[in-house]
Amino acid sequence: MGRAVTVATCALNQWALDFEGNLERIFRSIDIAKSKGARYRLGPELEIWPVLHRNVRYNCRVIFLNKRILLIRPKMSLANTGNYRELRWFTPWSKARHVEEYFLPKIIQEVTGQETVPFGDAVLATKDTCLGAEICEELWAPNSPHIEMGLDGVEIFTNSSGSHHVLRKARARVDLVNSATAKNGGIYILANQRGCDGDRLYYDGCAMISMNGETVAQGSQFSLDDVEVLVAALDLEDVRSYRAEISSRNLAASKVNPYPRVKVNFALSCPDDIAVPTCMPIQWRHHSPEEEISLGPACWLWDYLRRSKQAGFLLPLSGGVDSSATACIVYSMCRQVCLAVKNGNADVLADARRIVNDETYIPEDPPEFCNRVFTTCYMASENSSQDTRNRAKLLAEQIGSYHINLNIDAAVKAVVGIFSVVTGRIPQFSAHGGSSRESLALQNVQARIRMVLAYLFAQLTLWARGMPGGLLVLGSANVDESLRGYLTKYDCSSADINPIGGISKTDLKNFIQYCIENFQLTALSSIMSAPPTAELEPLVDGQVAQTDEADMGMTYAELSIYGKLRKIAKAGPYSMFCKLINMWKEICTPREVASKVKHFFRMYSVNRHKMTTLTPSYHAENYSPDDNRFDLRPFLYNTSWSWQFRCIDKQVSKLEKKEGISVVEDMD
């Protein structure tokens, strides 16, 4: 018997309920794997639908050979945090190393010729090796099955995953796969879902094969290819010699509780394999966060556009960092489409032709394609500066979008006029002697009229241009502004989808710099240097007087820290204060830290209701305040935080007394 095994793994862009499309992609990946000489092919999680066993629904791997099912292996550790709600749909298999008979449905019996098959926690023993299965979350669990499997002689571990993208997460996933075989030896094969499955997540591929702690095959993280197959030839003797040198492993293996083995009359290797070249270790190439922002949301937008069967996007482009970053992501999408077509991707070409309604069209130039599928709109008011108008116009010219300039003053005056006719009162901005209530209401009217106009132009712009179809409206509120609630409910943050809603302001500014350097978008330089502003209050001598950070009472850098402590560290007001007095001890007194923490939690809790209507956003940060799925919390808080704030006050007093500082002011 030979010793070189050729195995394949893949990343598939599957779509919930698209049974025919999903099946076609599965078949295509099998054909590619066979054509490359693979004798084992692994697909992503839920590639084959769930299995009902004794009236209980399980998330399963179905392993088969030549029309016969070898084993149905149910998932044992379910993901049930963050974006995952597996326990809502599935039950974990809790019978370790236990196998039962599964009676196949009649329709399957007619195909396989089997009445029953093994169901449970077992491994496969072929003529030349032993294979074990993990499913997604089980790799991340502290007691991963591959540990005991490896000690019991399993040489090849296979993992079908549905792992979504988060900025900077890929490195952790790769490290987990490599570490799975670093201490115990073996071959680890990971398959993953890719693309937008119809929700806020983007599954980022990264199919890979690892042996003895080192990567030997790397798949792409972001791609418009619906099917990607990796194939590697590996020497089983390398696993055996590696394990033989680990005495602690061998001692533990001698005491392990064995797994049930399903014997398979098949070999992964061939007798005459002496000339088969085996794969050597490679260095994994990770994307920078800026590259991830450029590629991940762009691929997500493309999936959403082609599957929604719309004709493009409309973006209210204000000339600020957030809307400009959103525009750059759409431009990056256009670049990816042109590159995919250049590389011969027939699926992308067919989708592009359908979107632009031209059966002979070939997208070759990103700005030209951008002009067909992307409309930008600068919505000026009497409070808008010439600078932001010019910045928006120049950026639109450089990326190639179809750009519209309009003025909303007439609509604003009409709406406010209705109020004045009914009440007999004329609200004024603070700068003109009005109260803060009046000023805020006038700002919100502008913001909400922009939302109404965005949807009007999204529906009718292509009609006015003599083109078919409608446009999806893009939002551009970042994750920090959402957390703070620094947005008007039902304004331009209300859109169909938002590609930057899970990305921090800090990362977006770094992404803008990346676009300047890599896309040669020089218009972004002036956008980067300008202070962020909503431009909803009157100008002073023709210049912007309103800035975002002054309005919020905190910086974007501080917001990112608050967000991570609130969500990831699970910190309330007092816990956050305790952490920040040490983190910021060089720049803030305890009293100043207390004031900042209180202000954040007041604003966060007062505005939490806005999260219930937040536009569906690309999930990219683990401190996202998305109320729909990820960050499930009340939206009506006791905003006084009386007990928590008193605890902070007492601690500040103790610290000041210890330092000999007299208390001369109220903490609030």
Side-chain angles (χ1 to χ4, degrees), residues 488-651:
T488 299
K489 205 172 187 179
Y490 306 116
D491 70 344
C492 276
S493 65
S494 298
D496 292 313
I497 50 175
N498 180 356
I500 69 164
I503 305 174
S504 72
K505 190 77 162 191
T506 301
D507 282 335
L508 287 174
K509 293 180 80 169
N510 292 336
F511 168 63
I512 290 289
Q513 186 60 43
Y514 170 88
C515 292
I516 294 172
E517 297 170 2
N518 292 273
F519 297 166
Q520 290 74 52
L521 299 177
T522 56
L524 295 171
S525 297
S526 60
I527 293 170
M528 273 283 286
S529 60
T533 175
E535 288 197 335
L536 295 172
E537 293 185 1
L539 303 176
V540 177
D541 298 327
Q543 299 298 314
V544 173
Q546 179 186 27
T547 64
D548 290 352
E549 292 188 337
D551 275 0
M552 293 190 299
M554 58 192 74
T555 67
Y556 283 106
E558 289 172 345
L559 262 174
S560 289
I561 295 172
Y562 297 148
K564 291 170 184 174
L565 290 176
R566 180 200 70 99
K567 176 64 177 174
I568 300 173
K570 308 296 189 292
Y574 182 74
S575 297
M576 186 179 292
F577 166 77
C578 292
K579 290 178 182 296
L580 288 177
I581 56 174
N582 291 305
M583 289 175 61
W584 290 348
K585 62 183 178 182
E586 302 298 328
I587 56 174
C588 293
T589 65
R591 184 173 292 273
E592 291 170 336
V593 172
S595 178
K596 287 175 179 289
V597 169
K598 290 179 181 180
H599 181 59
F600 165 72
F601 271 98
R602 285 195 193 98
M603 294 300 100
Y604 158 72
S605 56
V606 164
N607 290 298
R608 181 67 195 184
H609 65 97
K610 297 178 181 178
M611 298 306 97
T612 63
T613 60
L614 207 61
T615 295
S617 301
Y618 181 98
H619 181 83
E621 277 288 359
N622 280 330
Y623 69 91
S624 167
D626 168 35
D627 180 75
N628 178 271
R629 177 169 176 173
F630 180 71
D631 189 36
L632 303 180
R633 298 177 188 238
F635 54 86
L636 178 62
Y637 277 94
N638 181 343
T639 59
S640 66
W641 303 92
S642 53
W643 185 83
Q644 295 92 330
F645 286 3
R646 279 201 305 271
C647 291
I648 293 175
D649 292 345
K650 289 178 183 178
Q651 191 60 45

Side-chain angles (χ1 to χ4, degrees), residues 73 157 165 245 264 280 285 288 443 548 558 585 596 617 636 668:
R73 201 287 201 171
F157 312 102
H165 175 238
E245 295 301 311
V264 183
M280 301 301 292
R285 195 271 182 187
S288 68
Q443 293 180 63
D548 290 352
E558 289 172 345
K585 62 183 178 182
K596 287 175 179 289
S617 301
L636 178 62
D668 289 328

Side-chain angles (χ1 to χ4, degrees), residues 9-222:
T9 184
C10 59
L12 303 183
N13 193 338
Q14 304 293 71
W15 189 18
L17 304 180
D18 180 23
F19 299 126
E20 293 175 331
N22 292 343
L23 182 63
E24 186 275 329
R25 286 181 283 273
I26 291 172
F27 282 162
R28 203 191 319 172
S29 69
I30 293 172
D31 288 341
I32 294 172
K34 281 188 173 182
S35 70
K36 294 186 176 182
R39 292 174 66 80
Y40 178 90
R41 174 262 181 206
L42 176 70
E45 186 175 13
L46 287 176
E47 176 181 51
I48 293 179
W49 45 89
V51 176
L52 201 65
H53 177 54
R54 298 181 183 177
N55 302 120
V56 180
R57 189 189 302 111
Y58 296 98
N59 178 351
C60 294
R61 289 272 308 280
V62 180
I63 307 169
F64 54 89
L65 172 68
N66 296 332
K67 291 190 176 182
R68 291 185 65 82
I69 295 174
L70 304 176
L71 171 68
I72 300 177
R73 201 287 201 171
K75 191 172 182 179
M76 304 178 72
S77 298
L78 301 186
N80 210 56
T81 58
N83 286 295
Y84 296 112
R85 296 286 182 275
E86 280 198 84
L87 284 173
R88 178 177 293 179
W89 310 109
F90 304 112
T91 299
W93 180 256
S94 57
K95 303 174 183 178
R97 296 174 175 81
H98 177 77
V99 175
E100 298 175 355
E101 272 192 322
Y102 176 76
F103 287 83
L104 292 170
K106 186 176 180 181
I107 190 173
I108 304 298
Q109 291 183 27
E110 293 173 354
V111 175
T112 68
Q114 300 166 284
E115 184 177 290
T116 63
V117 295
F119 183 103
D121 184 24
V123 298
L124 300 177
T126 67
K127 290 182 176 181
D128 51 355
T129 188
C130 188
L131 297 90
E134 289 188 328
I135 305 176
C136 197
E137 177 71 10
E138 293 170 354
L139 170 64
W140 301 77
N143 58 339
S144 294
H146 68 255
I147 299 171
E148 295 278 305
M149 286 181 185
L151 294 175
D152 192 33
V154 172
E155 296 178 325
I156 301 176
F157 312 102
T158 62
N159 187 311
S160 295
S161 278
S163 183
H164 69 272
H165 175 238
V166 172
L167 289 174
R168 304 171 180 86
K169 174 186 173 182
R171 191 178 300 272
R173 188 193 296 135
V174 172
D175 288 347
L176 275 173
V177 171
N178 285 333
S179 65
T181 58
K183 291 193 295 185
N184 207 359
I187 297 167
Y188 203 105
I189 309 171
L190 177 83
N192 195 21
Q193 166 83 343
R194 168 183 288 152
C196 167
D197 191 28
D199 58 20
R200 294 160 171 79
L201 306 181
Y202 177 80
Y203 297 89
D204 59 337
C206 288
M208 65 178 292
I209 301 172
S210 172
M211 184 171 72
N212 296 341
E214 296 184 288
T215 303
V216 295
Q218 171 187 354
S220 58
Q221 185 174 10
F222 308 106

